[in-house]
Amino acid sequence: MPEKNFNITIIAATLLLITVGFILPGWLTFLTISILAKALVVVGVAVLMRGGIVSFGQGLYYCIGAYAVGLGGKFLGITDLLGLMFLALVAGLVSGSLLGLLMKRYREIFFAMFSLALSMILFGVLSKSQLLGSTDGFTIVKPTILGATLSTDNANHAIYIFACLLSGIVIWLGQRYLRSPMGFAGEALRDNEVRVEYLGVAPETIIYTKYLIASVTASLGGGLMALTLGHIGPEMAYWSQSGEFIFIALLGGTSHIAAPFVGTAVFEFIRTFALELAPNAWQIILGVVLIFIIIFFPSGIWSLFSSLKEKLRSGESGSPSKTPSVDLKKGDS
Amino acid sequence: MNPILEVKNLTKNFGAVVAAGDINVDIYENEIIAVIGSNGAGKTTFVNMVTGYLKPSSGKILFEDADITAYPPRKVTRAGICRSFQIAQLFPELSVLENMMIAFSLTASRWPSVLQPLRNNKTAENSFTVLKNFNIDMYANDPVASLAQGVRKLLDIAMAMVSKPSLLLLDEPTSGVAIEEKFELMDTVMNGVLQSGASTMFIEHDMDIVERYANRVIAFYEGRIIADGPTAEVLQEPTVKEFIVGEDIAHQEGGGLNA
């Protein structure tokens, strides 16, 4: 999609979502914020996956963002929505930039296990910390908006609008990143690390950038979720939470920056309705759905959009163009 | 005239095996050098050490008077030595043009841009120019995975040329290419390389190609240099004839692989 069209689509989708928010019932507003919050984390997971690395510990930054919001309100007296979310961003940026120095050296299963270990260390530390509510966590302050104290409904609506705007900005920035030399270098790295190195760039630089992006988006997602739930706990860093993010990334696909949002929406709606239908067996329903997706749409739900787009394009231009052949192509390979 | 590359007493051991022993080579500007030798003679080990892929066990590599012995590949590239590979190292999921554009963008800066688009007119124009120099511009929009071996080789070399190296090392540029296309491929490569003015060293098994394109030959045997000099002289050396040329002819007659 040309950049201008993409920008218009993002602005229109964000405005539409904000407008729809005025007529959504409370439960759906809450669900939508949860979707956007988790999707922000999954964006980071997808960015890493596009570079051929899988983080089994993205719950680490999800939890760091949430605790940054919680601690900011509890110990620093910050109640402003923007101020708290800024804290989440800084927490993700600082922790990601430090841990990224370690993580950039690892690949494949080592990267996955290292990230898992880090998130479980945080889970253990928070679980043992009496000051931070141990395994129960603690309730966070109700946010104010630019100094104004709002009713619970209005505060939730303000968080909703903020979540929509934040998601719009992340999608816009994310798409710019994926189309940038650094974004393409990430894909190139997955294909051939040796060639990347021989083009004069350290693969570690590319991994580090990806890791930083993923840690910041996960922290923002965690902060947003904390504000929505009004409560945080160490289970946000637990391995099953990180596993859920990978599940969603596979569900949505990684071929487009908006795919995690579609994947999260599908996941949350399935889970919500599966819980209604079968409170004790909703995991089975989710498992069956994932198997279905892997078998029929191995590139995720977004591949449906991509193939539809391809069909429309080939329908417009007729048969695909043929590349002229030259002698070199003849007779080998 | 000072050499641009000085290799002094370079040795690489893998346990008890001496893959390359006491290598001494000087390379000067505008030279086109062929490196010959049978399988396991140490040719690729030598190139791998010069380009930072392997760390030498001992010895020194000086490039334009800087000691690059301990440099990682990316620093060697930035210093001005680029290479292609026996098996073309490309990004198969991307198109030919995207491969070239990535090459341009990554060589331009150690920290490639995060928000500027890769696809811009200037990069596309530069990429097309290089693709044209190597006669592969007609494949610009094809995915690399669909390309023939010869085209892949050319793209691999074209990508290595993007950073305008002073020294280009080509590891068997014609391997995997049909015999009748080898000269055409080498003509294209040399045409592209000569335009850049880079000194070139290529590993080759086909003596017809060595005779036609190289003005100097370095012959390896069992990890050591057994001859180094003008092409015609080296190819007539009895030891080279016995250990390398003879064996190579036997391979060709038997239809074997020149790996």
Side-chain angles (χ1 to χ4, degrees), chain B residues 8-30:
Chain B
K8 295 177 177 175
N9 308 112
L10 206 63
T11 300
K12 180 68 188 175
N13 302 323
F14 293 106
V17 178
V18 181
D22 203 25
I23 308 287
N24 287 285
V25 172
D26 287 346
I27 295 177
Y28 297 86
E29 276 179 23
N30 301 317

Side-chain angles (χ1 to χ4, degrees), chain B:
Chain B
M1 189 166 58
N2 290 331
I4 55 169
L5 182 81
E6 293 172 73
V7 175
K8 295 177 177 175
N9 308 112
L10 206 63
T11 300
K12 180 68 188 175
N13 302 323
F14 293 106
V17 178
V18 181
D22 203 25
I23 308 287
N24 287 285
V25 172
D26 287 346
I27 295 177
Y28 297 86
E29 276 179 23
N30 301 317
E31 280 194 305
I32 297 176
I33 304 165
V35 177
I36 60 171
S38 53
N39 292 335
K43 310 179 297 294
T44 299
T45 303
F46 169 62
V47 167
N48 283 342
M49 283 193 285
V50 171
T51 56
Y53 194 73
L54 283 177
K55 294 282 162 273
S57 304
S58 63
K60 236 177 198 182
I61 306 165
L62 302 174
F63 181 67
E64 291 173 347
D65 296 328
D67 187 348
I68 63 162
T69 315
Y71 277 17
R74 61 180 174 276
K75 277 189 87 175
V76 173
T77 301
R78 294 216 172 270
I81 302 176
C82 289
R83 72 171 291 183
S84 73
F85 299 83
Q86 194 174 347
I87 298 166
Q89 298 291 317
L90 306 167
F91 310 124
E93 296 293 314
L94 304 174
S95 71
V96 169
L97 185 62
E98 283 169 342
N99 270 260
M100 281 307 296
M101 288 173 111
I102 286 175
F104 268 102
S105 301
L106 297 195
T107 49
S109 164
R110 284 185 184 86
W111 283 85
S113 170
V114 176
L115 293 174
Q116 294 300 315
L118 173 82
R119 285 177 174 273
N120 61 63
N121 290 342
K122 194 185 164 202
T123 313
E125 209 173 283
N126 290 339
S127 300
F128 263 113
T129 305
V130 178
L131 291 176
K132 237 175 206 169
N133 286 347
F134 284 86
N135 285 341
I136 48 174
D137 51 314
M138 67 288 286
Y139 300 106
N141 294 315
D142 289 3
V144 164
S146 71
L147 297 178
Q149 190 67 10
V151 184
R152 286 186 192 211
K153 285 272 186 187
L154 285 174
L155 179 59
D156 190 36
I157 297 164
M159 286 172 75
M161 293 300 297
V162 163
S163 62
K164 298 189 172 78
S166 309
L167 176 61
L168 181 68
L169 306 177
L170 309 175
D171 193 353
E172 301 196 30
T174 62
S175 74
V177 177
I179 293 169
E180 65 271 19
E181 292 164 3
K182 281 188 174 183
F183 284 107
E184 186 185 346
L185 184 137
M186 278 305 283
D187 281 345
T188 310
V189 169
M190 285 305 162
N191 184 41
V193 170
L194 288 174
Q195 283 181 39
S196 75
S199 301
T200 305
M201 187 166 78
F202 63 96
I203 297 175
E204 186 55 62
H205 288 277
D206 189 323
M207 293 307 140
D208 292 334
I209 286 179
V210 170
E211 277 188 297
R212 180 158 159 179
Y213 296 100
N215 49 34
R216 176 180 161 193
V217 171
I218 300 173
F220 277 74
Y221 181 70
E222 291 186 347
R224 291 175 193 280
I225 293 177
I226 56 168
D228 180 356
T231 305
E233 285 177 25
V234 171
L235 293 183
Q236 291 306 315
E237 288 247 353
T239 47
V240 173
K241 274 185 162 179
E242 184 184 352
F243 295 121
I244 302 168
V245 181
E247 185 179 309
D248 199 74
I249 289 164
H251 267 239
Q252 285 177 12
E253 282 172 352
L257 289 171
N258 291 330

Side-chain angles (χ1 to χ4, degrees), chain A residues 111-128:
Chain A
F111 185 95
M113 289 299 108
F114 205 157
S115 61
L116 175 66
L118 290 173
S119 71
M120 289 309 290
I121 288 170
L122 182 67
F123 171 78
V125 169
L126 293 175
S127 298
K128 300 290 176 197

Side-chain angles (χ1 to χ4, degrees), chain A:
Chain A
M1 186 188 291
E3 194 173 340
K4 195 179 166 190
N5 291 355
F6 178 76
N7 294 345
I8 292 168
T9 308
I10 288 299
I11 292 168
T14 307
L15 291 177
L16 182 69
L17 207 57
I18 290 172
T19 310
V20 167
F22 287 99
I23 56 166
L24 287 180
W27 71 271
L28 204 50
T29 304
F30 171 78
L31 185 62
T32 310
I33 300 170
S34 303
I35 288 168
L36 296 177
K38 286 190 176 176
L40 289 174
V41 189
V42 180
V43 162
V45 175
V47 163
L48 288 168
M49 284 170 103
R50 284 174 74 106
I53 45 180
V54 180
S55 168
F56 274 108
Q58 217 52 18
L60 173 78
Y61 295 103
Y62 183 57
C63 189
I64 284 174
Y67 270 76
V69 166
L71 295 174
K74 193 171 182 175
F75 295 110
L76 301 177
I78 299 170
T79 57
D80 190 76
L81 172 69
L82 296 177
L84 291 170
M85 286 304 292
F86 181 70
L87 272 185
L89 185 146
V90 171
L93 195 64
V94 171
S95 52
S97 56
L98 290 174
L99 292 176
L101 295 173
L102 272 177
M103 297 300 296
K104 67 180 183 178
R105 298 159 193 263
Y106 296 92
R107 307 285 185 276
E108 298 171 352
I109 193 67
F110 305 102
F111 185 95
M113 289 299 108
F114 205 157
S115 61
L116 175 66
L118 290 173
S119 71
M120 289 309 290
I121 288 170
L122 182 67
F123 171 78
V125 169
L126 293 175
S127 298
K128 300 290 176 197
S129 171
Q130 296 293 333
L131 184 69
L132 301 177
S134 187
T135 52
D136 292 334
F138 62 92
T139 304
I140 66 164
V141 294
K142 196 170 80 172
T144 57
I145 315 297
L146 302 171
T149 307
L150 303 175
S151 68
T152 305
D153 278 353
N154 285 342
N156 284 344
H157 197 72
I159 295 170
Y160 173 86
I161 292 171
F162 178 78
C164 294
L165 289 172
L166 181 62
S167 301
I169 291 167
V170 166
I171 291 176
W172 185 76
L173 285 173
Q175 185 70 353
R176 284 192 76 93
Y177 161 73
L178 292 180
R179 289 179 175 182
S180 73
M182 189 62 105
F184 270 94
E187 287 184 54
L189 189 71
R190 179 193 59 203
D191 283 352
N192 196 333
E193 191 165 327
V194 172
R195 171 48 90 188
V196 170
E197 176 98 27
Y198 275 104
L199 287 174
V201 172
E204 288 80 12
T205 305
I206 298 164
I207 299 281
Y208 188 72
T209 309
K210 283 183 171 290
Y211 192 76
L212 213 53
I213 291 169
S215 55
V216 168
T217 56
S219 282
L220 288 172
L224 203 55
M225 189 56 99
L227 289 169
T228 311
L229 290 172
H231 184 272
I232 52 175
E235 72 281 354
M236 294 179 94
Y238 199 58
W239 67 267
S240 57
Q241 182 62 71
S242 300
E244 187 178 297
F245 295 135
I246 296 173
F247 185 110
I248 297 170
L250 293 172
L251 192 70
T254 59
S255 59
H256 194 277
I257 196 70
F261 289 85
V262 174
T264 315
V266 170
F267 176 85
E268 286 297 332
F269 276 103
I270 291 171
R271 179 154 73 178
T272 303
F273 290 108
L275 266 166
E276 283 286 317
L277 285 169
N280 297 318
W282 62 272
Q283 293 97 332
I284 297 173
I285 297 174
L286 270 181
V288 170
V289 168
L290 187 63
I291 289 169
F292 179 83
I293 294 288
I294 287 171
I295 292 172
F296 294 103
F297 308 106
S299 301
I301 295 169
W302 193 265
S303 61
L304 283 171
F305 297 103
S306 305
S307 54
L308 188 69
K309 203 170 137 187
E310 278 299 311
K311 271 181 193 167
L312 287 173
R313 195 180 287 166
S314 59
E316 277 171 15
S317 62
S319 58
S321 61
K322 283 181 182 168
T323 312
S325 79
V326 294
D327 289 340
L328 281 171
K329 202 167 184 179
K330 183 180 66 181
D332 55 24
S333 185

